[in-house]
Every structure is written in C-alpha cells, then in structure tokens.
Amino acid sequence: MMDEKFERHEIDMDLLNKYLEDKDYLKLKNQIQKYNPVDITDYIESLDLKSAMLVFRLLNKDDSIDVFSHMEKDHQTRLLEAFSDKEVKFIVDELYFDDMIDLIEEMPAGIVKKVLRHTDKSERNLINQFLNYPEDSAGSLMTIEYIELRSYYTVRKALEVIKKTGVDKQTVYTCFVTNEKKTLLGFISLRTIVTNEPETLIEDLMDEDVIYVHTDDDQETVADVFKKYGFVVLPVVDNEKRLTGIITVDDIMEVMEQEATEDFQIMAGMSPDEDEYLDQSVFNLAKKRIAWLLILMISATFTGSIMTHYESLLGQAIILTAFIPMIMDTGGNSGSQSSTLIIRGLATGEISTTDWLKVFFKEFRVALIVSVVMSMVCFIKTMIIDKVSVPVGLVVSLTLIFTIVTAKLIGGMLPIIAKKLKLDPAIMAGPLITTIVDALSLLIYFEMAHVALGL
Amino acid sequence: MMDEKFERHEIDMDLLNKYLEDKDYLKLKNQIQKYNPVDITDYIESLDLKSAMLVFRLLNKDDSIDVFSHMEKDHQTRLLEAFSDKEVKFIVDELYFDDMIDLIEEMPAGIVKKVLRHTDKSERNLINQFLNYPEDSAGSLMTIEYIELRSYYTVRKALEVIKKTGVDKQTVYTCFVTNEKKTLLGFISLRTIVTNEPETLIEDLMDEDVIYVHTDDDQETVADVFKKYGFVVLPVVDNEKRLTGIITVDDIMEVMEQEATEDFQIMAGMSPDEDEYLDQSVFNLAKKRIAWLLILMISATFTGSIMTHYESLLGQAIILTAFIPMIMDTGGNSGSQSSTLIIRGLATGEISTTDWLKVFFKEFRVALIVSVVMSMVCFIKTMIIDKVSVPVGLVVSLTLIFTIVTAKLIGGMLPIIAKKLKLDPAIMAGPLITTIVDALSLLIYFEMAHVALGL
C-alpha cells in the first residue's frame, strides 16, 4: 500500500510484539507513544482482543481517543463490548460528535444502548437530530466542535476563548462569527487573529463573504465546494442560516474517494456499495452484480434477433461470422472510450450539458481519424493474415468506419442526455454502450455485406 | 456543475457587467471585492482581454494575486502578455513559489523570459532546482512558504515570528522545527502555540514524530500519506532529511482527482492525459485512443480464428450464431465487474497482492451464484422467447455458467498479477478482459455444442 520509503515512519510491530510477549509493559508504553495514532491503530487491529485491550489501556488519553476513532467498526465493536462502563463513558465523553454519530449508526443495538446510557437528555436529543439527516447529506457529515466568536469580541478576548475551549475543537484555524440567534455572520482565520493587535474588534477583521453549505445538501455538492475554493473547513447552516456544524477536509477526502469508487462500480454495471470488497459477503457482492447482467443479457436478445434475421446471408458466407467478435468489440471499446471521458468530465465539472454540441463535433472528428486509421490497418490485416477476398475485406473495413463513428457519437451523447434527464451519467458506460453498439454494428455489417456482396 | 443552491454564493455577473458597460468603475470595484477570488476568476475569464485587464487592475493586491493563481494557464498567458513590466514584477514577487513554478513550466518561452527578468540570481537557481524535480513527484508539488521555528524559541518568540512573517506563508497552522542545518526535528501546531504560556520552549511542545515525504516520492504516495493520516500539510525533505518544502492538502485533492481520472482513462483503454477534454485537440484525443483499439483489434484475430475453426459446426446449426453476442457480452461484463472492483481496491489500498487467494475464492463463490441465476433465466428465455430446442437452450445456458465463472476469475486475478509484475493494474480492465474472455467463451460454447449436439 505504501512506498517502501514509508516504512521508516511506520510502527515497529516486531519490537512492540516482543515487549508484549515479555510482558514489559513499561517499555511498551514508552515505545508506543512515539508513534502516530493512525499507526498505533493498525497495530492494535492486528492483535487479539485480550492484547488489544491491554495495549489500548496503556495509551494516554488523547492517543486512545484518536486510536479509537481511527478503528474499523468491527474493531470498535469488539472493544466496546469488552470495555468497562467507565471506559465506555470516557469514549462517549471524548469522541468528536461526528465520530459518535458514525459509531451509533453502525454499531449493533446492544452496543448503542451501552453507549447511550452515558449521554444526558440534551445530548440524546442532539444525537437524534443528527441521526435524522439524510444519508450522504452535509448534515450527516458535519460535527459540532467549532469555535464560535461574536463580532463585538476583541482579538484579545477571541484568543482567550480559543485558548480556553480550543483543545476540544476539531479545528481552531477557522473561527465562525455568529450573533445571539446563531446566525452565521462571517468567519475569521486564526492567522488573522494572531497577526492583529489585541484591541482590534473581530467585526473589523472578519470576512463576511462566507461560503457555506446547507444541512440537506448532497455530499457531492459539498465536495465540489471544497474543491472549487480549496477550503479545509466549511460551515453548515440550517434553513434560517443558523450555524449548525462544520465539515472538515479530511472527511471530504473520504467522500471524494467514495464517490469515485461508486462511479467505477456503476460504470462497470454494478450497484454501488460503500463497504470494502473484502468485508462484503459473497451473497451481497452477487446481488450487486446480477441486476445489470440480467438486463444486458435480455437486451442482447435484440442483437441475437438481428443475427437470426440475416441467417440465410450468414449461411451463404460463413466467413463473415469470423469478423463479428472483432467488429463488436471494437465498437464497444470505441464507445466506452468516449463515454468514459464524458462521464468523468461531467463528474469533475469540466463538461456541462450545455457543451453537448462541442462534444458532438469533437467526438465526430476524433471518430473520423480513429476509424480511418483502424479501417486501413484492418483491411491490410484481412488481406495478409485472414487472406479473405477483397470485397469481404472492404465490407469489414468499411463496417469498422461506420461502427466506430456511431459508437463514439452514442458514447459521447448518452451520458449528457442522462445528465439532462437527471439520471446518473455513469450508467451510460461500457456495458450499456456495448450492448447498443453491438446491435447497430451488426446491422451495418450485414447491410453492407448484403449490398456489396450481393447476398 | 454546482447545485442551484450555490447560486447564492456566486458572483452576480450581470450586475458586474452592467457596471462595466456603464463605465462605473467605482461601483464595480466596491462590488467585486465582496466576492471570493475563485468566483472573481470565473468572471474575469469570461471577459475579453481589454475588460479582463481593466477589472483585474481594479482588484486589491491580495485578491489580484489569488485571482491570478486560480486562472487557467491560457488566461494567465494572455494577461502576462499584456501586462506592463511593473505588473509582471508584482506578480512574480507575490505569487507563491509553487504557482510560479507551474507558471514557468507551462508558459510559452517569451513569457517565461519576461517573468524571469524580474527574479534575482538566487531565485533563478531555486527555480532551476524546482524545475528539475521529476514530474508528479513530491518535489514538483511542494512550495517553500512555510514557517520554520527553532527548538530553543519560546512560545512568545514563535508567535512574534509568525506575526512578522506569517502573512506571506501558505500555512501558519503547522510550523516546522529545524536546526541550523535545516534538519527537520519536529512540528508544532499553531493551536499548541496559542494555547500555551509565553515562556514555554518550543522543544518542550513540539511533536518529534513528524511524518514527512521525500522530494522524489511519487505524488500517489504523497496522496496516500495525506489520506492515511488526515493531514492538511506535509513537510518534504531531501536525502539528508533537510526541510525543503511543504505540500498542502488542496494540491493533493487535485492529485487525487487526477489519479482517479487517469485510472478511468486507462480502464477504458486509453493513454491517460491530464488536460481537460474540451481543451484537447482532436488529433491528441485520437492519438490517445488509437493504440489500444489497434492492439485489441489485432488480438480479436484469435477469436475470429476460433470462429473459422468451427465453421462447419456453425454451418450445420446457424441458430447457434444468434447467441454469440449475448454470450460474449455477458462474459465481458462479468469479467469487467470483477476487474473493476479489484483494480479500485488495489488503487485505494483496500486490497493488496497478498489477498489474492481471498479474492480468488470470493470471486469463485460470487461467480457460482451469479452464473446459476443467469443461466436459469437464460434457459427460460431461450425456451419462451427464442423458442429453440431444449438441447440448444441447455448448451447456451451451460456455456453461460462456465463463461461467467472463467470471466470472474480472470477479471479478479489479472489486476493482482499486473500489480505483482509492477504493471498498472488499470490496464487489466474491461477492454482487455473482454477480448480474453471472448475467445474462451466461444471455445467453451463450440465445444459444448460439439459434444452435446453431436455436431
């Protein structure tokens, strides 16, 4: 996963295991706290429950919370099950709110009960509110640990607030300015605060052009805003523009990766799934794949009926069948190339539906170049390698030109049409394009053969 | 590109255009400075050169540099060509070093000359050093505007340094601690500095477990480190562990998007390209697509020769040809599904080559479920819709089982083998898998028919 160069940062698991075996817990404790919590997590996840509990209990408070929040959910579950009530309470108290919500969403009911026992009523209300935000919305991504300042504070007062409350906040580098109704008025960076004089008022320094998202905005929209403006944190507001939370860039990097993964899955004809491949059950993996395969198989009936329709023609020149796989594959591949570029362009925002005419002409011209080169190579190949007659070679080569041009235009246009119809453009990828282009390319092929070879 | 909700953050271009037409430059100046530089960039890029220059000159110093660095390179070029010497000098002086390097790398020679005229000798040496870092390396991504502290500084002294030099730095939130040889000793967050007492020494507060990358590390490795640890900035060191630059998370988000785009392109059988689709020439787009299409077309010769080999069998039962597209497509689609999941899993680090046995068995079991369901539906379809004889229906349905299982195992294994051979797993995607599976599925089909139908 990592370049070998990164070994140097990584935890020396052998050494830790040695200390663990020797029961030299003091050395283990001293050694482990030298490492980054992310690496400590990897180590603890590699241990059996008993050792994992032991090592976890050796960590200092800060590290233990960091380590816990980095763990995979099944590892969190096994620890929570084994924890004493006091330890569960510590975790509940110290965890960032967004991590706690994730925990509650993904844990078995028994664990959730154990966790909620340590929250008070107002906290449970807040948890319920957060659990109600739609999946993949800004509300479901946000956390409540932000620094809130008032516009009438001085720099000195602001720094005092940050000093006093900052340690528990997910970020102190961007502070948000609100009024007594919690309406978002502006933001100010810690950089601006520390580089100004103590008596300056926050309202004279804050930036009122604050870019924010709504609790019900989709996570893809949120990721777009992060990418466009290069922020590391974004405020989230409700319908009355009241500040309700913040989203940090590390969560957005996960969203970006997840959205790309979903596109890959859809484009390969699967229902998207957030879970990791190795963690998914065989049955679930099969279920995600079967729907599209069935749809595409049934659709291929149409292609089959074209074959049947030209049965007598094929019977007279069985040599024509030898080129069917090549023509079908080339058509499918040409169409997939175009649709992939357009789907990805639509996803990253480079291409919009208003560009359809530009895309059409671009694909048309690209297709002309590609198809002419392909068909020339193909003709030479049919003459030298396949050793067929010149008319057959010409039919095959000319079919390629029409197939490639058609495939590229269809591949270029269908994702844009899907987007226009508010469908996910990613469904218009290789598998579907191939099925459509198959039927068309065979029609072109047989009609060409019919006319040119007089069959 | 953006959700309609985001219109509210966006610049009111009509209003700005109105002021521009009315030559009401004072109102234009006052209005435009309310917007985010990213949005101002969009606006200026929409104008002709004369208006663009005019609006650009109305911006305050900070905004103008931000706007300039956000511009596409062709817009930067046209402005630099039109700028006075004084304006070019201002840009050169104020631009972050990484943006300047990008500028120099991408501008025409005439502009580069104009830009370099305003740098002194030591700066030109540094520029040359940066230009020599390999493309897509950490060195080529980094910038030099970081805060460097000494371990013997007090918190008070550190805050003074930050106050004095911080405004020109890309980030002040993570400061790096070095010795007089510039060796990286540790890092300290601004949060830690502001929440501690003025007389505390930096060496007592700094974190020595500093995670860094090397100038020659690949950008994909750098992105992996960012994702793994959730950093917003990473230090870059040379071979003597001397601090030479920093990389910030906004540049890494671009890298992540670019790496995903490249994988999409390779997986659709194209040579990857960083440039945007609409910006690329038709000739370049054609060139990127043609190589794989040719390779795959030539490879399909093998499939064709299988068809030729079974010519007499096909001649006796021409009905068999009707199912060839369906079998080929189902095989290709099944294989693509598996290869896509594995390629993506390898790219995100979820799957490693040591997981090959797990992948093999998982794909085998998934393939069994999928293929049995598919073949039952297929058999019913051949009976009801295609109305073929039972033996033909059985041959087609059984072929499907073997095809799907083979396709999924090949699709699951080839990316891992590619990775093991230090090839890019992304080449083992749909197009190549389809070509391989085509040949195999036809072999299975004809052999089945040969045995079962006695042809």
Side-chain angles (χ1 to χ4, degrees):
Chain A
M1 184 160 85
M2 293 277 136
D3 201 273
E4 56 180 35
K5 287 213 174 115
F6 284 87
E7 300 298 338
R8 67 187 128 86
H9 306 308
E10 271 171 31
I11 200 160
D12 187 346
M13 295 211 189
D14 293 339
L15 183 67
L16 294 176
N17 279 332
K18 197 187 153 290
Y19 291 150
L20 192 61
E21 273 167 41
D22 298 351
K23 299 201 198 310
D24 196 343
Y25 301 134
L26 190 66
K27 273 194 183 151
L28 181 58
K29 187 185 163 100
N30 286 334
Q31 187 63 33
I32 205 163
Q33 67 187 14
K34 291 185 188 160
Y35 300 119
N36 185 292
V38 176
D39 293 318
I40 302 175
T41 309
D42 287 347
Y43 176 61
I44 291 185
E45 288 186 348
S46 76
L47 299 173
D48 63 65
L49 179 60
K50 206 172 140 245
S51 308
M53 292 284 286
L54 197 152
V55 175
F56 189 83
R57 284 169 173 155
L58 290 179
L59 300 175
N60 65 45
K61 279 175 79 167
D62 284 357
D63 277 353
S64 69
I65 283 296
D66 272 3
V67 165
F68 186 83
S69 66
H70 280 116
M71 277 182 188
E72 300 280 334
K73 63 179 180 204
D74 47 332
H75 289 281
Q76 288 181 334
T77 312
R78 66 173 193 160
L79 281 190
L80 281 175
E81 274 169 350
F83 275 160
S84 72
D85 258 31
K86 209 180 132 199
E87 282 167 318
V88 173
K89 183 167 162 37
F90 169 73
I91 297 281
V92 169
D93 288 346
E94 297 295 322
L95 221 48
Y96 282 131
F97 199 75
D98 58 338
D99 291 329
M100 176 139 84
I101 296 295
D102 289 347
L103 194 74
I104 291 171
E105 273 177 333
E106 294 180 350
M107 291 291 119
I111 300 288
V112 170
K113 232 170 137 180
K114 195 167 173 182
V115 167
L116 288 181
R117 208 186 303 149
H118 300 283
T119 56
D120 60 28
K121 191 154 180 277
S122 71
E123 208 169 5
R124 275 199 299 278
N125 284 340
L126 200 56
I127 289 170
N128 271 325
Q129 182 194 328
F130 269 65
L131 289 175
N132 279 327
Y133 290 119
E135 205 187 342
D136 299 341
S137 70
S140 74
L141 283 174
M142 71 187 182
T143 190
I144 52 173
E145 288 89 0
Y146 49 85
I147 300 250
E148 206 171 340
L149 302 175
R150 295 277 189 258
S151 53
Y152 54 80
Y153 285 4
T154 59
V155 162
R156 186 194 311 276
K157 167 84 177 164
L159 271 172
E160 270 167 30
V161 170
I162 294 168
K163 217 163 185 163
K164 219 172 84 187
T165 64
V167 278
D168 296 327
K169 304 303 178 186
Q170 240 185 17
T171 181
V172 299
Y173 302 130
T174 306
C175 307
F176 297 97
V177 187
T178 58
N179 62 16
E180 60 292 341
K181 284 176 186 155
K182 282 190 80 74
T183 313
L184 183 60
L185 302 177
F187 71 97
I188 183 165
S189 68
L190 183 57
R191 177 202 297 237
T192 307
I193 298 177
V194 301
T195 54
N196 271 284
E197 295 309 314
E199 297 313 320
T200 320
L201 286 177
I202 295 299
E203 66 183 340
D204 296 332
L205 298 174
M206 74 180 187
D207 197 335
E208 288 172 54
D209 167 37
V210 53
I211 289 178
Y212 51 86
V213 292
H214 262 119
T215 46
D216 53 356
D217 283 333
D218 186 79
Q219 62 177 8
E220 225 173 322
T221 313
V222 180
D224 285 343
V225 177
F226 266 97
K227 277 186 285 177
K228 180 169 180 185
Y229 295 99
F231 291 135
V232 293
V233 59
L234 260 185
V236 186
V237 299
D238 65 12
N239 288 329
E240 273 94 55
K241 214 192 151 182
R242 285 180 306 214
L243 184 61
T244 51
I246 57 166
I247 298 177
T248 51
V249 71
D250 51 321
D251 292 327
I252 287 304
M253 287 176 42
E254 272 173 45
V255 168
M256 283 171 61
E257 195 155 280
Q258 188 188 315
E259 296 284 342
T261 299
E262 284 186 11
D263 276 355
F264 276 111
Q265 291 169 341
I266 297 168
M267 287 169 75
M270 288 174 280
S271 316
D273 201 304
E274 286 181 21
D275 289 335
E276 299 202 351
Y277 174 82
L278 293 173
D279 293 342
Q280 283 186 67
S281 72
V282 168
F283 180 75
N284 191 42
L285 282 171
K287 205 179 67 184
K288 299 281 169 193
R289 302 186 193 181
I290 228 161
W292 266 105
L293 287 180
L294 281 174
I295 293 170
L296 294 169
M297 180 177 77
I298 306 288
S299 314
T301 310
F302 186 63
T303 317
S305 71
I306 293 172
M307 297 280 254
T308 322
H309 182 77
Y310 290 94
E311 209 173 292
S312 69
L313 181 146
L314 274 179
Q316 287 171 63
I318 200 91
I319 182 69
L320 288 177
T321 55
F323 299 102
I324 289 176
M326 187 273 284
I327 291 170
M328 278 172 47
D329 282 352
T330 304
N333 291 335
S334 307
S336 300
Q337 289 180 332
S338 305
S339 70
T340 298
L341 285 182
I342 306 307
I343 291 168
R344 184 66 186 157
L346 289 167
T348 60
E350 271 174 37
I351 299 174
S352 72
T353 50
T354 51
D355 293 321
W356 72 272
L357 205 63
K358 274 189 230 167
V359 171
F360 186 90
F361 280 114
K362 202 145 205 168
E363 284 305 307
F364 183 69
R365 286 176 296 160
V366 172
L368 281 185
I369 299 177
V370 171
S371 63
V372 167
V373 174
M374 293 286 292
S375 103
M376 286 189 314
V377 176
C378 175
F379 183 74
I380 295 168
K381 183 185 97 77
T382 55
M383 293 297 106
I384 295 174
I385 301 179
D386 309 318
K387 296 191 171 60
V388 296
S389 68
V390 174
V392 169
L394 280 177
V395 165
V396 173
S397 313
L398 285 178
T399 299
L400 263 197
I401 294 192
F402 285 103
T403 300
I404 292 173
V405 172
T406 317
K408 289 215 166 286
L409 291 181
I410 291 176
M413 290 297 106
L414 283 190
I416 297 182
I417 293 170
K419 174 97 181 184
K420 201 80 196 159
L421 298 175
K422 307 220 181 281
L423 296 169
D424 189 341
I427 59 171
M428 299 300 181
L432 191 60
I433 301 282
T434 301
T435 304
I436 297 169
V437 170
D438 277 355
L440 289 173
S441 61
L442 286 181
L443 264 181
I444 295 168
Y445 187 41
F446 293 138
E447 276 306 310
M448 283 266 198
H450 177 64
V451 173
L453 309 179
L455 296 172
Chain B
M1 186 159 84
M2 293 277 135
D3 201 273
E4 56 180 36
K5 288 216 174 111
F6 283 88
E7 300 299 337
R8 68 187 127 90
H9 306 308
E10 272 172 29
I11 201 160
D12 187 346
M13 294 211 190
D14 294 337
L15 184 67
L16 294 176
N17 279 331
K18 198 188 151 292
Y19 291 151
L20 192 60
E21 272 166 40
D22 299 348
K23 298 202 196 321
D24 197 344
Y25 301 135
L26 190 65
K27 274 193 182 152
L28 181 59
K29 187 186 164 101
N30 286 334
Q31 187 63 32
I32 205 163
Q33 67 186 16
K34 292 183 187 162
Y35 299 120
N36 185 291
V38 176
D39 294 317
I40 303 175
T41 308
D42 287 348
Y43 176 61
I44 291 185
E45 288 185 347
S46 76
L47 300 172
D48 62 65
L49 178 59
K50 208 173 138 242
S51 308
M53 291 284 286
L54 197 152
V55 175
F56 189 83
R57 284 168 174 157
L58 289 178
L59 301 174
N60 65 46
K61 278 175 78 167
D62 284 357
D63 278 353
S64 68
I65 283 298
D66 273 3
V67 165
F68 186 84
S69 66
H70 280 115
M71 278 183 188
E72 300 281 333
K73 64 179 178 202
D74 45 335
H75 290 280
Q76 288 180 333
T77 312
R78 66 173 192 159
L79 282 190
L80 281 175
E81 275 169 349
F83 275 161
S84 70
D85 258 34
K86 208 179 132 198
E87 282 167 318
V88 173
K89 182 167 166 35
F90 169 73
I91 297 282
V92 170
D93 288 346
E94 297 296 321
L95 221 48
Y96 282 132
F97 199 74
D98 58 340
D99 292 328
M100 175 137 90
I101 296 296
D102 290 346
L103 195 75
I104 291 170
E105 274 177 332
E106 293 180 350
M107 291 290 120
I111 301 289
V112 171
K113 231 169 141 183
K114 196 168 170 181
V115 167
L116 289 181
R117 210 187 301 149
H118 300 283
T119 57
D120 59 27
K121 192 154 180 281
S122 72
E123 208 167 4
R124 274 199 300 280
N125 283 341
L126 199 55
I127 290 171
N128 270 326
Q129 182 194 328
F130 269 64
L131 290 174
N132 279 328
Y133 289 120
E135 206 187 342
D136 299 341
S137 70
S140 74
L141 283 173
M142 71 187 182
T143 190
I144 52 174
E145 287 89 1
Y146 50 84
I147 301 252
E148 205 172 340
L149 301 175
R150 295 278 188 258
S151 53
Y152 55 79
Y153 284 4
T154 59
V155 163
R156 184 195 310 278
K157 165 86 175 165
L159 271 172
E160 268 167 34
V161 170
I162 295 168
K163 218 163 186 163
K164 219 172 84 186
T165 64
V167 278
D168 297 328
K169 304 303 178 187
Q170 242 185 16
T171 182
V172 299
Y173 302 130
T174 306
C175 307
F176 298 97
V177 186
T178 57
N179 63 16
E180 62 292 340
K181 282 178 189 154
K182 283 189 78 71
T183 311
L184 182 61
L185 302 177
F187 72 98
I188 182 164
S189 68
L190 183 57
R191 174 200 300 235
T192 307
I193 297 176
V194 300
T195 54
N196 271 284
E197 295 310 314
E199 297 313 318
T200 320
L201 286 178
I202 294 299
E203 70 183 337
D204 296 332
L205 298 173
M206 73 179 188
D207 196 335
E208 289 172 55
D209 168 37
V210 54
I211 290 179
Y212 51 85
V213 292
H214 262 119
T215 47
D216 52 356
D217 283 332
D218 186 77
Q219 61 176 12
E220 226 173 321
T221 313
V222 180
D224 285 343
V225 177
F226 266 96
K227 278 186 286 177
K228 179 167 184 187
Y229 296 99
F231 291 134
V232 292
V233 60
L234 261 184
V236 186
V237 300
D238 64 13
N239 288 330
E240 272 94 54
K241 214 192 153 186
R242 285 179 306 213
L243 184 61
T244 51
I246 57 166
I247 298 177
T248 52
V249 70
D250 52 319
D251 292 327
I252 286 305
M253 285 172 55
E254 272 173 47
V255 168
M256 283 171 62
E257 194 154 279
Q258 185 188 316
E259 297 283 344
T261 299
E262 283 186 11
D263 275 355
F264 276 111
Q265 291 169 339
I266 297 169
M267 287 169 74
M270 287 173 280
S271 316
D273 201 302
E274 286 182 22
D275 289 334
E276 299 201 350
Y277 174 82
L278 292 174
D279 293 343
Q280 283 186 64
S281 72
V282 167
F283 180 76
N284 192 42
L285 282 170
K287 205 179 67 184
K288 300 281 169 192
R289 301 185 194 182
I290 229 161
W292 266 105
L293 287 181
L294 281 174
I295 293 169
L296 295 168
M297 179 178 78
I298 306 288
S299 315
T301 309
F302 186 63
T303 317
S305 71
I306 294 173
M307 297 280 253
T308 321
H309 182 77
Y310 291 93
E311 210 173 293
S312 68
L313 180 146
L314 274 178
Q316 287 170 66
I318 202 91
I319 182 68
L320 290 177
T321 55
F323 298 101
I324 289 177
M326 187 273 283
I327 291 171
M328 277 173 48
D329 282 352
T330 304
N333 291 335
S334 306
S336 300
Q337 289 179 333
S338 306
S339 70
T340 299
L341 285 181
I342 306 308
I343 291 168
R344 184 64 186 160
L346 290 168
T348 60
E350 272 174 36
I351 300 174
S352 71
T353 50
T354 52
D355 293 320
W356 73 272
L357 206 63
K358 274 189 229 167
V359 172
F360 186 90
F361 279 114
K362 203 143 205 168
E363 284 305 309
F364 183 68
R365 287 175 297 159
V366 172
L368 281 185
I369 299 177
V370 171
S371 63
V372 168
V373 175
M374 292 287 292
S375 103
M376 286 188 316
V377 176
C378 175
F379 183 74
I380 296 167
K381 184 185 96 79
T382 56
M383 293 296 106
I384 296 174
I385 301 179
D386 308 318
K387 296 190 171 56
V388 296
S389 67
V390 173
V392 169
L394 280 176
V395 165
V396 173
S397 311
L398 286 177
T399 300
L400 263 196
I401 295 192
F402 285 104
T403 300
I404 292 173
V405 173
T406 316
K408 288 215 168 286
L409 292 181
I410 291 176
M413 289 298 106
L414 283 190
I416 296 182
I417 293 170
K419 175 98 180 184
K420 202 78 196 159
L421 299 174
K422 307 219 180 285
L423 296 170
D424 188 340
I427 59 171
M428 299 300 182
L432 191 60
I433 301 284
T434 301
T435 303
I436 297 169
V437 170
D438 277 355
L440 290 172
S441 61
L442 287 181
L443 263 181
I444 296 167
Y445 186 41
F446 293 138
E447 275 307 309
M448 285 266 196
H450 177 64
V451 174
L453 309 179
L455 293 172

